[in-house]
Amino acid sequence: MGLDMYLTGDKFHAGGVINKETGEYESVEPTYVDGFKLSSERLELGYWRKNAPLHVLMVNRFANGKDDCQPIDLGEKQLRLIAELLRSKTMPTDEQCGGFFFGSEEWWAECRQNADEDAKVFEAAADWLKSDDAKFWNSVEYQASW
């Protein structure tokens, strides 16, 4: 048991697109999996274990401090802000990170040392989110489990 943290992306398949040259609607051939139409794919964009400073940052900034392991939708600007906060070492203090399943101060110090690598994960998610492929649209969410 402990704090498991997931950054996931959903890639939704469009039923059709507008041709930029002709302005006409063109249907997109659906993909089938096990005989069923595939409407979306879920991607693991990031995973952390007991990174309480990052979790507390996410909950306080984007869930009004409410920590019920609910999904938190994140847009491109929010993802880039998280990356910026990680790089600038603007993270919650140990005193703000308490919780039985959340790890220890030694572990959190190690998590903070990896902040630059974590920032790259959020930047990559922001880049993926703004993809301009008209056949798909993307969404990103953070969710923790403890």
Side-chain angles (χ1 to χ4, degrees):
M1 292 182 63
L3 177 63
D4 291 297
M5 306 157 55
Y6 305 90
L7 187 68
T8 57
D10 288 311
K11 184 176 192 128
F12 296 93
H13 299 252
V17 297
I18 301 295
N19 183 312
K20 291 180 182 179
E21 293 177 14
T22 65
E24 293 183 20
Y25 178 84
E26 296 176 357
S27 63
V28 174
E29 189 66 31
T31 300
Y32 290 87
V33 176
D34 297 334
F36 297 96
K37 185 177 170 185
L38 180 67
S39 62
S40 67
E41 300 169 85
R42 178 150 274 212
L43 309 174
E44 182 180 300
L45 304 177
Y47 171 79
W48 299 267
R49 176 99 173 125
K50 295 187 179 186
N51 188 336
L54 177 58
H55 176 70
V56 171
L57 171 81
M58 302 292 282
V59 168
N60 288 346
R61 285 267 180 168
F62 306 111
N64 298 318
K66 183 180 176 189
D67 189 2
D68 286 337
C69 296
Q70 73 276 20
I72 300 171
D73 292 320
L74 299 168
E76 180 188 352
K77 289 180 182 178
Q78 293 167 316
L79 293 163
R80 295 199 192 283
L81 173 62
I82 296 162
E84 179 183 318
L85 293 170
L86 286 164
R87 285 194 182 98
S88 68
K89 311 298 186 217
T90 309
M91 301 293 289
T93 64
D94 288 349
E95 292 76 26
Q96 297 169 307
C97 293
F100 180 73
F101 299 114
F102 285 20
S104 65
E105 292 177 7
E106 294 83 20
W107 180 258
W108 302 335
E110 189 175 322
C111 291
R112 287 185 179 97
Q113 289 175 353
N114 295 326
D116 288 337
E117 289 302 311
D118 294 337
K120 291 177 186 175
V121 171
F122 285 95
E123 286 288 348
D127 291 343
W128 175 80
L129 187 61
K130 71 173 191 167
S131 170
D132 62 356
D133 187 340
K135 294 180 183 176
F136 305 98
W137 70 93
N138 303 328
S139 69
V140 173
E141 75 178 23
Y142 167 80
Q143 187 167 17
S145 153
W146 42 271

